[in-house]
Amino acid sequence: MAAAGSAGPEPMPSYAQLVQRGWGSALAAARGCADCGWGLARRGLAEHAHLAPPELLLLALGALGWTVLRSAATSRLFRPLAKRCRLQPRDAAKMPESAWKFLFYLGAWSYSTYLLFGTDYPFFHDPPSVFYDWKTGMAVPRDIAVAYLLQGSFYGHSIYATLYLDAWRKDSVVMLVHHVVTLVLIVSSYAFRYHKVGILVLFLHDISDVQLEFTKLNVYFKSRGGAHHRLHALAADLGCLSFCLSWFWFRLYWFPLKVLYATSYCSLRSVPDIPFYFFFNALLLLLTLMNLYWFLYIVAFAAKVLTGQVRELKDVREYDTAEAPSPKPRKAEKPLRNGLVKDKRF
């Protein structure tokens, strides 16, 4: 299908329209697929996937580069800063992880925001346009390719980091699954040239990580030097509130109604035989379910605040079971914790 007509962008649907049209399109696609199976999948890979070995090598080198850079930043910047600010030992152990993630996600989200609002790309205001003029092997704009390289290599690094560098938490297994799903989505959407919708997914997810790590850093710094710092405490409270609101708005409102509607319904209108329709929509649906899983943690935290079970914001993950970064889980030692949770994202 050609680009949108003079009527302008299609209005964002309701949840009911998403379910009705998306489910109807999926059922129609399933009934119309006479030769679905491994044979069709192999042919689809051969005909539509375009990913050169040098690109995979660059992705792997980027993941290694992020790991080396994190190690250097932790030893030369974050740990000396924690020592200089006289953070409590438990907070000093966790601060480097949050500082690293905060800096990356702030830069990544800022760049995706620039792509969506500082250029001529219409993807945010007109999500169905991500499939207009789609062609097999179409060129990926350099600015979007840069975003894909940075994000893909970072998630490759994040899989290693979750296992060996980050503090192990009760939801770390889900986090590991999330990183794998995200990396698969990034690599495969690039190979099949679904990069336009990929940028939209990254934008809608990264903002929550920025707010989460910002809140955690202020939690760690509010008790530094043996004194209580009201400014950091206020920033942590505001960050907590902003995180809760943005999680719902970006990941559970905009994400399904902009991204899932475009991929499950609009994609078939633009490209009736679009390759790997079920594969990508299944992964995006899995991502939605993980977002909902973590949102339940947020709701549980809010309930504890309203019932008086949590009186002070001391940490931003209720089920954080590690006293220091460790790849192996340990039994909780019953400190006061509360319930913001780690995302994440495509």
Side-chain angles (χ1 to χ4, degrees):
M1 179 179 293
S6 59
E10 180 177 344
M12 194 166 67
S14 65
Y15 286 112
Q17 289 173 322
L18 166 65
V19 173
Q20 180 184 16
R21 297 174 184 175
W23 181 250
S25 297
L27 288 179
R31 287 194 295 264
C33 187
D35 59 343
C36 287
W38 290 113
L40 179 61
R42 287 194 296 269
R43 291 197 302 273
L45 283 172
E47 295 174 5
H48 301 291
H50 293 77
L51 190 62
E55 293 174 320
L56 288 174
L57 177 61
L58 191 59
L59 189 71
L61 291 176
L64 178 62
W66 285 121
T67 305
V68 173
L69 182 59
R70 173 173 175 171
S71 177
T74 297
S75 61
R76 296 178 180 271
L77 178 61
F78 301 142
R79 285 177 182 165
L81 179 62
K83 184 177 180 180
R84 181 176 182 179
C85 294
R86 294 189 296 161
L87 298 186
Q88 296 181 8
R90 185 170 184 266
D91 295 336
K94 294 181 178 182
M95 189 276 282
E97 176 187 339
S98 290
W100 167 255
K101 292 179 180 178
F102 172 74
L103 291 175
F104 172 80
Y105 288 119
L106 179 62
W109 186 73
S110 298
Y111 186 58
S112 61
T113 301
Y114 160 74
L115 290 177
L116 291 175
F117 300 100
T119 66
D120 295 331
Y121 296 133
F123 313 144
F124 181 82
H125 300 291
D126 187 18
S129 68
V130 298
F131 294 106
Y132 296 161
D133 300 321
W134 177 89
K135 295 181 180 64
T136 295
M138 62 188 295
V140 179
R142 181 168 296 181
D143 50 4
I144 294 181
V146 168
Y148 260 73
L149 174 61
L150 294 176
Q151 293 271 7
S153 60
F154 185 81
Y155 277 100
H157 152 78
S158 296
I159 294 174
Y160 172 83
T162 300
L163 289 171
Y164 300 108
L165 301 178
D166 297 347
W168 189 267
R169 300 175 173 89
K170 191 172 182 179
D171 66 341
S172 290
V173 173
V174 179
M175 181 61 61
L176 187 62
V177 173
H178 169 273
H179 291 338
V180 172
V181 170
T182 301
L183 182 59
V184 171
L185 276 170
I186 290 175
V187 173
S188 57
S189 65
Y190 179 87
F192 284 90
R193 299 307 190 249
Y194 299 146
H195 48 277
K196 297 178 182 179
V197 70
I199 291 298
L200 186 56
V201 173
L202 292 170
F203 166 78
L204 293 175
H205 281 75
D206 284 348
I207 181 59
S208 299
D209 292 300
V210 174
Q211 294 169 320
L212 173 64
E213 303 305 339
F214 171 82
T215 303
K216 292 172 71 173
L217 287 172
N218 280 281
V219 168
Y220 301 151
F221 276 86
K222 72 178 182 180
S223 299
R224 59 187 172 88
H228 182 78
H229 297 265
R230 293 183 178 180
L231 182 60
H232 287 296
L234 176 61
D237 291 339
L238 293 177
C240 174
L241 177 61
S242 176
F243 171 79
C244 295
L245 295 176
S246 71
W247 187 283
F248 172 79
W249 193 261
F250 280 76
R251 295 183 177 222
L252 298 179
Y253 179 65
W254 270 345
F255 177 68
L257 298 186
K258 286 181 177 289
V259 173
L260 290 182
Y261 184 75
T263 58
S264 64
Y265 175 64
C266 301
S267 61
L268 292 175
R269 292 189 308 172
S270 297
V271 189
D273 57 346
I274 192 165
F276 280 70
Y277 168 85
F278 294 104
F279 172 78
F280 283 102
N281 278 287
L283 289 182
L284 290 172
L285 181 59
L286 178 59
L287 191 61
T288 305
L289 294 177
M290 286 189 283
N291 288 338
L292 183 61
Y293 166 82
W294 277 306
F295 187 68
L296 295 178
Y297 280 168
I298 299 174
V299 172
F301 166 65
K304 290 186 177 183
V305 172
L306 294 175
T307 57
Q309 298 180 47
V310 174
R311 298 181 181 275
E312 182 181 3
L313 190 66
K314 284 188 175 292
D315 205 336
V316 291
R317 197 121 50 111
E318 180 175 6
Y319 301 103
D320 188 344
T321 60
E323 292 298 321
S326 169
K328 297 181 180 180
R330 290 184 278 178
K331 294 183 179 179
E333 299 178 7
K334 300 182 180 179
L336 180 62
R337 302 178 175 97
N338 66 35
L340 288 189
V341 295
K342 182 71 176 103
D343 78 24
K344 136 147 214 54
R345 53 217 213 149
F346 177 95

